Amino acid sequence: MAADKKGDKEAFALHYAELKALCTEHENTNKDHPEQWETLADFTEQFDEALAGYEKALEKAIAINSKEHIASIAFSMASLQIELGHTDAAIKNLQYAKISANKIDDKDFKIEIDELLATLLAN
């Protein structure tokens, strides 16, 4: 994250490659975790690859029934889908995020989901 914030493309590429290798190495093992995949997707520059990463992260979050991760990943996917103009898919993911967020304590995040969903539904 620090390399990205500094605009250090060489360091960013190195760290991104390390994270991708870690995700691949741990995939389908007891070290596999949705947060790894979500982080990888967060820093993936190609939109289609980022969406695929979020989908993989979401599958893994659902598999372990982690409501916090499900809400976060669905929200991130929706944000990217909004950017791509895929409003219907974004609404679906925000609705899913909202349902999952009902089981977590982060009130600010719940408000953020509600506000973005309301904005999309109003258009």
Side-chain angles (χ1 to χ4, degrees):
M1 285 193 230
D4 187 46
K5 286 182 183 177
K6 290 180 186 176
D8 186 343
K9 292 190 182 287
E10 187 175 313
F12 174 82
L14 176 67
H15 293 305
Y16 180 84
E18 289 173 354
L19 178 58
K20 189 172 186 176
L22 180 78
C23 288
T24 303
E25 178 184 334
H26 290 169
E27 189 168 14
N28 300 320
T29 71
N30 63 347
K31 293 182 179 181
D32 199 3
H33 196 275
E35 197 165 321
Q36 297 170 160
W37 294 98
E38 180 181 14
T39 302
L40 184 66
D42 286 345
F43 289 98
T44 299
E45 295 176 343
Q46 299 297 323
F47 291 147
D48 58 336
E49 289 178 31
L51 283 174
Y54 286 131
E55 288 171 6
K56 184 174 277 196
L58 188 58
E59 289 171 13
K60 293 176 184 302
I62 291 167
I64 63 171
N65 197 29
S66 173
K67 300 300 184 188
E68 184 174 334
H69 287 103
I70 292 169
S72 174
I73 296 162
F75 182 83
S76 294
M77 282 180 72
S79 297
L80 181 54
Q81 289 164 328
I82 291 166
E83 199 172 326
L84 295 171
H86 302 157
T87 306
D88 291 342
I91 289 169
K92 180 181 171 194
N93 277 312
L94 285 170
Q95 289 169 332
Y96 193 40
K98 181 176 180 165
I99 291 166
S100 296
N102 282 335
K103 309 288 189 238
I104 64 175
D105 294 329
D106 189 341
K107 290 179 175 47
D108 291 336
F109 183 47
K110 291 177 184 181
I111 291 169
E112 190 174 2
I113 293 167
D114 286 341
E115 288 176 349
L116 186 54
L117 182 56
T119 299
L120 290 180
L121 291 173
N123 292 332

